[in-house]
Amino acid sequence: MAFALPAAALAQDTDSPLRNGAYVAPMASYVWSDDKHMDDGFGGSLALGYRQAWYALELSGLYQAISAGDGNTAKLTGAGVNALLFPAPRLSGLYLLVGAGGMQIKSYPTGGDSTQFSNTFVNAGPGYLFPLKAGRYDFAVRTEVLYRYGHRDSSPLDTTMAPDNFNYVLVNVGFQLPLNRAAAPPPPPASEPIAVVPPAPPPDSDGDGVPDDRDQCPGTAQGAQVDDVGCPLPPPCEAPAPGQKADLAGCAAGDSILLRGVNFEFDKATLTLNAKTLLDGIGDALIAAPAIKVEIAGYTDARGSDGYNQKLSQQRAESVVQYLTDRGVDAGRMTARGYGETQPVADNDTDEGRELNRRVELKVTEGAATATTAPPLAALPAADAAATEAPPPPEVPADAPAPEVPADKPPVP
């Protein structure tokens, strides 16, 4: 059965969950009959159909039991073909049903249980689908009101009491259940990958690695080591190399500088000329760093007695303090202390080790130095820059009497 209705008039809401596919529709019925021999009755129907957008076609089977005044109950069974048309886009569940079929009537009143005849019928009426959803499954409650007209066929039985034509009004209520589960929603279209653009680094005008908004020392020289606020780190606390100025910038409490080249005459606390030249630069550096206090520490090697070495190292430390005081350094910022042979830094069994152990150190005991204005030292001759003592006294003739040496003062360099 086909219908050629205007597509515009029958266009359907394409978002309807029941618009396409096969379905089954079980329904209960209530029947009003105009036959004076029969009362109202109940029944049911089962339809199997297929919907395509604006229409559906279905096969339907029916059963109805209609009571009669004489106590009998007429039983109606039959089948038909229906077409459902969906004409209203805005009311996607509204439809008009038209159909035709045939039925058989048994136990018609006045004829007894043996009465049986058939008739053909047509029916038509409006209906409505109320969509429902259970998870991903779409279905509907189906309701419809139909008018059915039937015509009795000839029968060899005594049916003279049965009318030739039948008129019924039926109300059907049930479900329309699609036979296909709703498909899973399609995945969203793949989106273009979003390019992640790194944020522009904050400006760093002097290139020291600290952004301008945190740089407290703009204009730092390229390659200079800086702290977390962009200011140059102080230089390491170390003794000046030969020919360089003494600079205590970066020195703080706990730091120690080996004053290599500060030597003394043999077995005395008298500074050599080269030692004084080096101490001139040290004095200028101390004057330029008034916030620090220092200890001048003297050391000897292990030759000679412990007591003698302790006394000699103390005298030598005091000699350095005195020279720096005369140079203009505040004496209250300096202390002198001799350690003798107690803290060797090398092996006292070799000439090289003993030379390293004979030393003077400047130890920062308080404060910190940030800058100096000491002038550069004149370059020292290589022989003067070496950490050596003054040459020993001239040789004494072999036949000269040996000088006396106190028992508690063995020879030391």
Side-chain angles (χ1 to χ4, degrees):
M1 184 179 296
F3 299 87
L5 297 179
L10 299 177
Q12 275 298 299
D13 178 7
T14 56
D15 291 331
S16 170
L18 304 173
R19 67 183 183 275
N20 293 325
Y23 64 87
V24 61
M27 292 182 288
S29 303
Y30 188 80
V31 182
W32 287 276
S33 172
D34 68 348
D35 189 339
K36 63 182 179 180
H37 298 294
M38 293 190 297
D39 295 329
D40 302 336
F42 292 91
S45 65
L46 180 67
L48 178 65
Y50 187 90
R51 180 174 175 181
Q52 181 66 37
W54 56 268
Y55 70 92
L57 299 176
E58 62 185 26
L59 298 175
S60 176
L62 60 90
Y63 172 82
Q64 291 157 2
I66 304 177
S67 61
D70 62 358
N72 290 333
T73 300
K75 300 177 179 63
L76 288 69
T77 57
V81 177
N82 300 322
L84 283 67
L85 307 177
F86 297 84
R90 293 184 179 276
L91 295 174
S92 60
L94 179 66
Y95 63 90
L96 175 65
L97 182 147
V98 293
M103 69 172 63
Q104 188 177 65
I105 301 176
K106 294 181 179 181
S107 304
Y108 186 78
T110 75
D113 291 342
S114 62
T115 304
Q116 178 173 321
F117 60 91
S118 60
N119 71 349
T120 56
F121 66 87
V122 292
N123 47 224
Y128 201 89
L129 297 174
F130 297 92
L132 295 176
K133 192 177 185 69
R136 287 172 45 204
Y137 185 68
D138 297 321
F139 64 103
V141 173
R142 175 170 169 173
T143 62
E144 56 195 28
V145 179
L146 304 178
Y147 169 75
R148 178 174 292 166
Y149 172 79
H151 177 73
R152 180 170 63 86
D153 297 336
S154 61
S155 173
L157 300 177
D158 181 10
T159 56
T160 56
M161 299 298 292
D164 291 336
N165 300 315
F166 297 88
N167 295 279
Y168 304 96
V169 175
L170 298 89
V171 174
N172 295 330
V173 178
F175 296 98
Q176 183 155 313
L177 308 172
L179 297 181
N180 58 313
R181 287 180 59 86
S191 58
E192 293 293 331
I194 299 175
V196 178
V197 179
D204 179 14
S205 302
D206 54 10
D208 60 2
V210 179
D212 290 347
D213 59 352
R214 290 196 298 112
D215 198 336
Q216 298 181 11
C217 298
T220 305
Q222 189 73 25
Q225 297 294 318
V226 298
D227 57 19
D228 57 356
V229 293
C231 293
L233 294 173
C237 182
E238 57 187 12
Q244 292 183 341
K245 72 174 183 179
D247 191 350
L248 300 180
C251 295
D255 289 333
S256 180
I257 296 176
L258 174 63
L259 301 182
R260 188 174 299 278
V262 176
N263 301 314
F264 302 88
E265 293 182 6
F266 182 76
D267 198 26
K268 294 180 181 181
T270 303
L271 290 164
T272 64
L273 178 61
N274 293 329
K276 292 178 180 180
T277 301
L278 178 60
L279 288 176
D280 287 344
I282 297 297
D284 292 339
L286 284 171
I287 293 172
I292 66 173
K293 293 184 178 182
V294 297
E295 173 189 286
I296 304 300
Y299 300 87
T300 66
D301 60 27
R303 291 184 300 178
S305 67
D306 293 348
Y308 181 77
N309 288 336
Q310 174 64 37
K311 180 179 179 181
L312 181 59
S313 65
Q314 180 67 33
Q315 291 174 345
R316 288 180 170 180
E318 292 173 352
S319 177
V320 172
V321 169
Q322 185 59 52
Y323 184 83
L324 293 174
T325 301
D326 295 342
R327 190 75 173 77
V329 182
D330 182 4
R333 296 171 53 201
M334 298 180 292
T335 57
R337 183 174 179 183
Y339 291 89
E341 59 185 82
T342 60
Q343 298 180 19
V345 294
D347 186 359
N348 273 303
D349 292 333
T350 65
D351 291 340
E352 294 80 4
R354 287 191 293 269
E355 181 180 350
L356 295 175
N357 289 332
R358 296 190 299 267
R359 66 195 188 277
V360 175
E361 294 181 0
L362 183 149
K363 299 180 179 181
V364 181
T365 57
E366 292 183 27
T370 57
T372 67
T373 56
L377 295 175
L380 299 177
D384 294 339
T388 57
E389 293 282 3
E395 295 183 1
V396 180
D399 56 353
E404 294 184 0
V405 178
D408 59 348
K409 186 179 179 182
V412 293

